[in-house]
Amino acid sequence: MRVKMRKFLKSCYFKILLSTIAVIWTLGLKTSNFASVLLVVLFYFFYKNEINCSEKRERIIAGVLSVLLAVFQVAGNYDDFLLLVDVKLVLLIKYILAIAGWCCIFYTLIAIIFKMAEEKDLVCAAQKNSKGIKVFGASFGILILCWLPYFIAYYPGILTWDTEWQFEQALGISSYSNHQPVLHTLFLKLFYNLGIKIFHNPNGGMAVCVFVQMIVMASIFAFLIVILYWRKIRKQYLALCIIFFGIMPFNALYSIAIWKDIFFAGSILLFSIILWELQDSHDDNRLTKIGQIIGFIVVGILVCLLRSNGFYAYLFCIPFMVLMLKKRRAGVILGCIVTLSIVGIVKGPVMEAKHVIQPDIVENLSIPIQHIARVVADGCELTDEEEKLLGQVIEIDRIPEEYLNYISDPIKTLIREKDNQQYIKDNKKEFFFLWLKLGLRYPEEYIKAQIDQTRGYWTTDEQYWVITTEVTEHAEILGMYRDSKLPSGIVRIMEWGENAYMEIPIYGILWSIGFYFWIMLLMLAITIKKKKNILPFLPVLALWGSLMIATPVYAEFRYIYSLIIGIPLFIAISFSSEEERNYVSDAETITNKECL
């Protein structure tokens, strides 16, 4: 009997059963749903000729990643499990079984992708390269042409709430604040004033800001295409990259949306490209080395100044850059010192001299604030001492009615209304221990709060707004208004396209942050499996990590836009051979046909 049971547990039939159960429970389907029959059939063919990882290294990487993705999948849908059962032991068993079932699914899927990575190589050594300037120009031109209809339809561009405040600062209506990065505000001021001189109206000023942003982003994407081209990545893949950057609506809409996050995402992409180049460069030309380090410094400064979490992401990357970039170690160390020195001077003495207001203390405490608020909102008891400490900075009685599990703004607003943030600064130790003690006492509430506040960044089944094209009344007060140059019917079709991802299956997943995060993890796993350097992945991973401890919103697309536009780079890194740089001069042995 035991032998038969062991045999069954190792068979594909057990995996079919476990996987079907996992999908049904996780997606909240009824047990009588006919989809269960379809799932059994699907999983039968999925596991029938199962591909297994051959090497121990592969099995370990695939195992770790499959467990991670399975936990993400189940944790992201924990509330569906709670609807079915409230007995904790039964709930725990269901969680374990669901995770086990998803592990089976993901492990098999990862093994298939690993096999594809072995068989597919994006590099074609026989591919003839022409001058990079031609590739850059063609890529740049195509992207601008793809984005122009959106610029014309939403002329003078997309102005968001945050940017209205920045324009107020640029126009001298309000004081400079680094809550929105001053560097970006100064960019707006420069090109807005240029636009005013040319067009003599606020719409013209904004249009110039938008068009310059389009030029910058198209240049960054075209630069990536050129780098891939020089590394002999197949032209078909380059074409797909251009289509992705040019045709996907969120890229087009973000190219005309005035947000600090757009330039920041471009800076992170450039930083990853530079790290890739520094890591693989075989060019010992002194001018090339100097140029790379200058680029490393300039882009590093942008990463640190365009978002506050960019600075922390840069700090996280420093030890890895010094450790992994052995050939450029001296230059990298010098570059880091120069970068941090300039950033320190700008964020310190310069901003103080210009009386730039810094973000308040609660702005960076979204996650711990949500943890504590969840405890109060769920009716958990606090001691008199804890209530007294917390009551100094927030009206405790209002927390249950104001708390939203996916965004921290309501609770931060309550703290700001109390107007006693100095008390937090003066009693940091006490508030830290309050957060720690409540977490140890009520771990379930903290876990739920953490999941709800961040799940959009690591699960695929979360849909949140990505872009808005509305023009607010406040923007009109500033003299900026929608002045579309296209017929209203066409504009309505384009507006429908902004939210079509919520209606069209499969297409919708291309708008999912979690989906791109999973792709990045898969590409990272392939890169580790091939024993290649993972350094280009680290800036985005560090940025993602910063959101896990500080995000104010659970699925803000723009906050992690650098991940989305970095996917073409990550795929190229993981699916290319180790010989990208070894260009073949005598390609007689490989025909051009092989590059098609």
Side-chain angles (χ1 to χ4, degrees):
M1 186 67 178
R2 289 182 180 179
V3 174
K4 288 183 178 180
M5 180 59 69
R6 288 176 187 171
K7 191 174 181 180
F8 173 73
L9 292 176
K10 292 181 180 180
S11 70
C12 70
Y13 300 106
F14 179 66
K15 292 180 182 178
I16 293 169
L17 176 63
L18 206 57
S19 300
T20 303
I21 289 173
V23 173
I24 294 292
W25 284 350
T26 306
L27 300 186
L29 300 177
K30 293 180 180 179
T31 54
S32 59
N33 196 304
F34 184 71
S36 60
V37 178
L38 298 178
L39 286 170
V40 169
V41 175
L42 174 65
F43 285 130
Y44 173 77
F45 289 103
F46 186 60
Y47 291 120
K48 184 179 180 182
N49 299 307
E50 185 178 355
I51 297 174
N52 291 309
C53 297
S54 56
E55 299 179 3
K56 182 179 179 181
R57 180 185 179 85
E58 287 185 10
R59 291 195 293 272
I60 292 174
I61 295 171
V64 171
L65 183 56
S66 62
V67 170
L68 184 62
L69 295 181
V71 170
F72 284 161
Q73 185 69 12
V74 174
N77 294 277
Y78 80 91
D79 35 11
D80 288 321
F81 286 80
L82 293 175
L83 294 174
L84 300 173
V85 63
D86 58 0
V87 180
K88 289 188 176 181
L89 179 59
V90 176
L91 192 60
L92 178 61
I93 293 172
K94 293 190 75 170
Y95 283 146
I96 293 171
L97 289 175
I99 289 172
W102 281 107
C103 276
C104 294
I105 297 170
F106 288 129
Y107 186 88
T108 303
L109 186 61
I110 292 167
I112 293 171
I113 295 173
F114 278 2
K115 185 173 179 60
M116 289 174 57
E118 291 176 1
E119 297 175 350
K120 303 292 182 182
D121 190 352
L122 289 178
V123 171
C124 181
Q127 184 169 281
K128 292 183 179 180
N129 283 357
S130 60
K131 292 183 179 179
I133 190 66
K134 292 183 179 180
V135 177
F136 180 91
S139 303
F140 176 87
I142 292 171
L143 292 175
I144 293 294
L145 286 174
C146 289
W147 298 343
L148 272 178
Y150 290 86
F151 179 54
I152 297 170
Y154 298 112
Y155 183 87
I158 297 174
L159 181 66
T160 62
W161 308 284
D162 290 345
T163 317
E164 290 172 9
W165 182 22
Q166 286 184 268
F167 271 113
E168 283 188 355
Q169 297 172 43
L171 295 172
I173 299 173
S174 59
S175 302
Y176 282 107
S177 170
N178 203 38
H179 184 87
Q180 305 296 331
V182 173
L183 182 63
H184 188 246
T185 303
L186 293 176
F187 160 82
L188 296 180
K189 181 177 182 178
L190 172 64
F191 289 103
Y192 178 82
N193 289 335
L194 176 62
I196 290 291
K197 289 181 180 179
I198 297 172
F199 298 104
H200 309 292
N201 62 73
N203 259 14
M206 182 182 169
V208 170
C209 293
V210 170
F211 196 71
V212 171
Q213 177 173 286
M214 290 171 64
I215 290 172
V216 171
M217 295 307 294
S219 298
I220 292 173
F221 295 152
F223 177 65
L224 171 60
I225 300 299
V226 170
I227 294 297
L228 299 179
Y229 180 71
W230 280 342
R231 286 172 174 263
K232 294 191 176 290
I233 299 296
R234 295 172 185 268
K235 294 178 181 178
Q236 295 90 333
Y237 182 74
L238 303 185
L240 288 175
C241 291
I242 294 173
I243 290 171
F244 173 74
F245 290 132
I247 302 300
M248 279 302 293
F250 54 71
N251 286 322
L253 288 164
Y254 273 17
S255 75
I256 63 167
I258 295 295
W259 255 332
K260 62 184 181 296
D261 309 273
I262 312 305
F263 277 161
F264 176 70
S267 299
I268 290 288
L269 177 57
L270 279 177
F271 197 53
S272 292
I273 294 171
I274 289 171
L275 293 180
W276 194 29
E277 286 294 289
L278 286 171
Q279 157 193 314
D280 288 348
S281 178
H282 297 297
D283 193 339
D284 292 325
N285 184 284
R286 187 175 181 182
L287 290 176
T288 301
K289 290 181 179 180
I290 293 173
Q292 288 176 337
I293 296 302
I294 291 174
F296 175 76
I297 292 171
V298 171
V299 175
I301 292 171
L302 293 175
V303 167
C304 292
L305 292 180
L306 285 174
R307 276 199 72 95
S308 56
N309 58 343
F311 175 70
Y312 297 111
Y314 185 87
L315 290 179
F316 172 84
C317 291
I318 287 177
F320 297 98
M321 293 188 297
V322 173
L323 180 66
M324 295 179 180
L325 295 174
K326 298 178 182 178
K327 297 179 182 178
R328 299 285 190 267
R329 183 168 292 164
V332 167
I333 293 174
L334 176 63
C336 291
I337 292 172
V338 172
T339 298
L340 293 178
S341 299
I342 293 175
V343 170
I345 292 171
V346 171
K347 297 184 78 170
V350 173
M351 289 191 182
E352 288 177 9
K354 297 297 181 180
H355 306 291
V356 176
I357 301 170
Q358 297 297 329
D360 58 14
I361 191 169
V362 298
E363 186 59 32
N364 295 320
L365 295 176
S366 291
I367 295 295
I369 284 173
Q370 288 292 88
H371 288 160
I372 296 173
R374 182 61 173 260
V375 168
V376 176
D378 284 357
C380 300
E381 291 185 5
L382 303 180
T383 64
D384 292 340
E385 183 182 349
E386 290 165 348
E387 283 191 6
K388 183 179 179 180
L389 178 63
L390 196 58
Q392 294 290 331
V393 296
I394 192 171
E395 292 185 36
I396 300 176
D397 294 340
R398 292 180 60 190
I399 291 177
E401 64 185 56
E402 296 291 336
Y403 173 76
L404 294 176
N405 63 1
Y406 63 92
I407 184 170
S408 63
D409 285 354
I411 300 302
K412 288 191 292 188
T413 299
L414 281 182
I415 294 174
R416 287 169 179 143
E417 287 178 2
K418 191 77 171 181
D419 196 22
N420 194 20
Q421 293 188 53
Q422 186 60 44
Y423 191 81
I424 300 176
K425 292 182 180 179
D426 296 338
N427 297 273
K428 292 178 182 177
K429 182 178 178 181
E430 287 77 6
F431 279 100
F432 171 76
F433 281 110
L434 170 66
W435 171 79
L436 185 61
K437 285 188 293 184
L438 290 178
L440 293 173
R441 197 187 316 157
Y442 305 112
E444 187 176 340
E445 277 66 33
Y446 270 40
I447 292 171
K448 289 178 181 178
Q450 182 71 29
I451 291 173
D452 291 338
Q453 186 65 24
T454 63
R455 73 168 100 194
Y457 300 106
W458 44 266
T459 61
T460 62
D461 195 22
E462 292 295 334
Q463 291 183 320
Y464 194 59
W465 78 288
V466 174
I467 189 69
T468 177
T469 55
E470 296 178 359
V471 178
T472 65
E473 292 182 4
H474 188 67
E476 293 178 353
I477 293 173
L478 296 175
M480 303 171 191
Y481 59 93
R482 176 72 66 244
D483 186 19
S484 177
K485 309 300 181 182
L486 289 180
S488 59
I490 295 177
V491 174
R492 281 196 295 271
I493 293 173
M494 297 176 73
E495 287 175 344
W496 174 82
E498 297 168 29
N499 298 306
Y501 65 93
M502 292 190 177
E503 301 176 18
I504 304 175
I506 300 176
Y507 174 63
I509 203 168
L510 297 177
W511 294 67
S512 165
I513 298 171
F515 175 67
Y516 290 102
F517 179 61
W518 286 18
I519 291 177
M520 185 186 71
L521 290 181
L522 282 168
M523 298 306 106
L524 180 62
I526 292 170
T527 304
I528 294 172
K529 170 185 166 299
K530 291 184 174 182
K531 300 181 181 179
K532 299 173 70 175
N533 203 316
I534 64 170
L535 191 55
F537 291 82
L538 294 186
V540 172
L541 278 173
L543 182 63
W544 180 87
S546 72
L547 292 174
M548 293 303 99
I549 59 175
T551 180
V553 190
Y554 86 117
E556 192 75 40
F557 199 88
R558 61 191 172 103
Y559 287 172
I560 197 69
Y561 184 51
S562 55
L563 164 65
I564 285 80
I565 61 177
I567 290 299
L569 171 65
F570 301 145
I571 292 174
I573 291 172
S574 57
F575 274 83
S576 57
S577 65
E578 293 287 348
E579 306 300 324
E580 304 102 333
R581 286 292 190 177
N582 296 336
Y583 299 162
V584 178
S585 57
D586 54 341
E588 291 84 359
T589 57
I590 310 175
T591 65
N592 286 329
K593 187 176 180 180
E594 289 179 277
C595 295
L596 298 177

